[in-house]
Amino acid sequence: MDISKSRAATQGGVSLARIDEIQAAETRDFRAARPKSEAAIGNGLAGFFGGVPMHWMKDWPTPFPILVERAKGATITDTDGNRLADFCLGDTGSMFGHSPEPVARAIRRQSRRGLTYMLPSEDALVLGGLLAERFGLPHWQIATTASDANRFALRVARAVTGRSRILVFNGCYHGAVDETFVRLFDGRPANKAGLAGEFRDLTQATRVVEFNDLAALAAELAHKDVACVITEPVLTNCCMVLPEPGFLEGVRRLTRDNGTLLLIDETHTISTGPGGYTGKHGLEPDLFVLGKPVAGGVPASVWGMSEAVASSFAEYNRTKEPGYSGIGTTLSANPLQFAAMRATLEEVMTEDNYAHMEKLAARLADGLEATIKRHGLPWHVARVGARVEFICAPGPLRNGSEASAAHAPELEAAIHVALVNRGVLIAPFHNMMLISPATKKRHVDRLIAAFDDIAVRLVA
């Protein structure tokens, strides 16, 4: 038998012919259940390039995007009346559920007082202290997206160190920050494939090494030209890669030894607990970024600085040439963000809610793992707090290269549509599932049962 041909004919241990068969059947069922959605959006939305308001909406594996009528708690209802247990939760933006009541109440209150005026409000008086207490760093700024926050924090890092380069881990994701789009191809750094309109060689500003490789990190930091290492504590916007024991401690030690700052981006790993992975595991970042769910669904992000970084940056500002710093946007730090963020930190991101999320996430992970084992699939499950992924390849994964090789796009797309047809929505990227405070045991059990039913069909 030609082994190479055999491997090419399968994905995740399932034949491509079987995957195609299931995809076709599930696509028919999806269309049949959504005639109103198909009539309204099946040929695209008028006036929008590509037929969607933001091109990511075309990345759903469904034949056309689901037209949402309403979302509340952990449930989405589409225009055809189909109800979905939502484990995508806006790809983390609604990680604490759709329209948490404390946040909705704060939005209603602030909407009567004005939405933006580039001045602080009463909520801002409280918010700074809440951020310092929750995340451990003393000095904070508000931005609108985590991409913005990461850009601004990296500017500060370069300003206070006088160094031009940053370092990322292969396979990382930090939003739309240009210089983080560097990857290793056959061991050599290069611009990430598929970038639109990129005219620069980003490797001139960025060093890149594999996650969990302290020796490679030490070698790159030894050049003494890296202002900042920017990393998630767990690689998440790929097939999830967990840090090996001692890795994050080694990153902290090596950055300090080489005069390099450490930026922890918790935008996805805030699923770990009220203080994120940083709080739970005692990490000591110089800079900290959190976006997406921090204001309960209202666009907002925060970035914090240690006392040493803030002091150095203040001195830099006293001596730099006058003019625009390149940090900040007009709609950042508006009173709607203050109100929603305060409500989220005080009433939504609570220990009790996280305990509920952790318990159900463990139930979900255990149920998925049991199904995988029962059907003899060469897959595994990864989890960081309330964030769970099933990965259609053996694991655990050690780095970004392994995570990239683990993707099974046709298989994952077929599973996604099949889950939707069984009343469950997961993220359109890398099989990510989130548990919110509004998620119920019945939602989790529905997902496990749907996953098992699909697995039966895949291995039939």
Side-chain angles (χ1 to χ4, degrees):
M1 181 177 68
D2 188 328
I3 294 176
S4 64
K5 288 183 179 178
S6 173
R7 286 176 177 167
T10 66
Q11 202 170 88
V14 182
S15 75
L16 288 175
R18 183 63 177 152
I19 293 170
D20 290 344
E21 179 183 340
I22 291 173
Q23 176 74 54
E26 296 296 341
T27 295
R28 289 193 296 270
D29 290 347
F30 179 92
R31 290 183 183 278
R34 291 167 178 82
K36 291 182 180 178
S37 288
E38 184 163 20
I41 200 173
N43 294 316
L45 292 172
F48 291 109
F49 174 74
V52 288
M54 201 268 278
H55 70 95
W56 288 8
M57 293 180 184
K58 298 183 74 173
D59 291 341
W60 292 91
T62 51
F64 47 84
I66 294 167
L67 190 60
V68 177
E69 181 178 288
R70 63 184 179 276
K72 182 64 180 174
T75 301
I76 280 180
T77 304
D78 70 20
T79 193
D80 289 279
N82 299 296
R83 290 168 58 85
L84 298 171
D86 187 10
F87 291 87
C88 175
L89 296 169
D91 193 23
T92 310
S94 291
M95 193 183 88
F96 302 111
H98 297 288
S99 299
E101 184 50 42
V103 177
R105 188 166 58 245
I107 291 171
R108 289 193 296 270
R109 171 177 57 83
Q110 186 57 47
S111 69
R112 296 189 292 269
R113 301 179 178 183
L115 300 180
T116 188
Y117 27 77
M118 211 172 71
L119 289 166
S121 66
E122 290 183 3
D123 290 315
L125 300 177
V126 178
L127 185 57
L130 286 174
L131 291 169
E133 179 182 359
R134 177 65 62 94
F135 302 118
L137 295 179
H139 300 279
W140 292 88
Q141 290 280 274
I142 309 298
T144 299
T145 69
S147 296
D148 288 339
N150 279 320
R151 287 190 193 98
F152 303 155
L154 290 177
R155 278 188 175 272
V156 169
R158 286 175 164 131
V160 302
T161 63
R163 297 177 175 182
S164 61
R165 291 180 181 263
I166 65 165
L167 184 142
V168 300
F169 292 106
N170 190 38
C172 72
Y173 180 73
H174 299 288
V177 181
D178 288 357
E179 62 263 52
T180 65
F181 291 118
V182 174
R183 295 292 181 268
L184 289 173
F185 296 96
D186 297 324
R188 298 176 64 85
N191 285 11
K192 183 180 179 182
L195 293 179
E198 184 54 68
F199 59 93
R200 297 160 296 177
D201 177 2
L202 298 176
T203 65
Q204 298 302 303
T206 305
R207 296 186 180 278
V208 55
V209 299
E210 292 285 11
F211 199 72
N212 282 320
D213 190 340
L214 288 176
L217 176 63
E220 293 299 316
L221 293 183
H223 293 282
K224 306 293 186 182
D225 60 357
V226 175
C228 185
V229 170
I230 175 173
T231 186
E232 295 182 283
V234 176
L235 290 187
T236 61
N237 215 59
C238 54
C239 295
M240 192 187 296
V241 179
L242 297 171
E244 294 179 345
F247 174 67
L248 294 176
E249 293 81 0
V251 172
R252 180 66 283 189
R253 182 183 67 256
L254 288 170
T255 50
R256 283 179 172 150
D257 288 349
N258 288 279
T260 298
L261 300 181
L262 175 61
L263 190 165
I264 298 291
D265 181 352
E266 289 268 10
T267 298
H268 290 157
T269 52
I270 193 64
S271 59
T272 311
Y277 203 97
T278 294
K280 185 168 184 176
H281 295 278
L283 307 184
E284 298 177 356
D286 302 297
L287 298 152
F288 180 105
V289 165
L290 172 60
K292 289 193 178 181
V294 70
V298 171
S301 66
V302 298
W303 55 285
M305 296 174 276
S306 69
E307 188 65 56
V309 171
S311 177
S312 295
F313 190 51
E315 179 59 30
Y316 173 87
N317 280 330
R318 280 192 290 270
T319 58
K320 82 174 183 71
E321 181 182 2
Y324 177 50
S325 66
I327 296 175
T329 58
T330 300
L331 294 178
S332 295
N334 67 65
L336 188 63
Q337 291 174 328
F338 300 149
M341 209 179 306
R342 178 182 177 183
T344 301
L345 290 172
E346 288 184 334
E347 302 181 65
V348 180
M349 292 175 65
T350 64
E351 292 284 359
D352 286 347
N353 277 344
Y354 269 99
H356 168 84
M357 294 155 66
E358 180 83 17
K359 180 179 179 181
L360 287 187
R363 181 182 184 88
L364 174 58
D366 289 346
L368 297 178
E369 286 174 343
T371 295
I372 289 168
K373 182 178 181 180
R374 183 164 56 252
H375 296 291
L377 290 163
W379 304 355
H380 73 286
V381 175
R383 178 167 80 91
V384 55
R387 185 183 182 101
V388 181
E389 291 181 14
F390 63 86
I391 298 166
C392 301
L397 305 174
R398 185 171 184 267
N399 55 45
S401 291
E402 291 184 6
S404 178
H407 278 292
E410 288 85 3
L411 175 58
E412 292 164 4
I415 294 171
H416 182 101
V417 181
L419 286 172
V420 170
N421 288 337
R422 288 155 181 77
V424 176
L425 184 70
I426 67 172
F429 319 108
H430 48 78
N431 312 320
M432 187 274 291
M433 298 153 285
L434 282 166
I435 302 295
S436 77
T439 304
K440 308 297 184 187
K441 176 177 172 289
R442 68 177 184 274
H443 297 142
V444 170
D445 290 347
R446 183 191 305 172
L447 173 49
I448 294 170
F451 186 75
D452 184 76
D453 184 54
I454 297 163
V456 168
R457 296 189 62 199
L458 288 170
V459 303

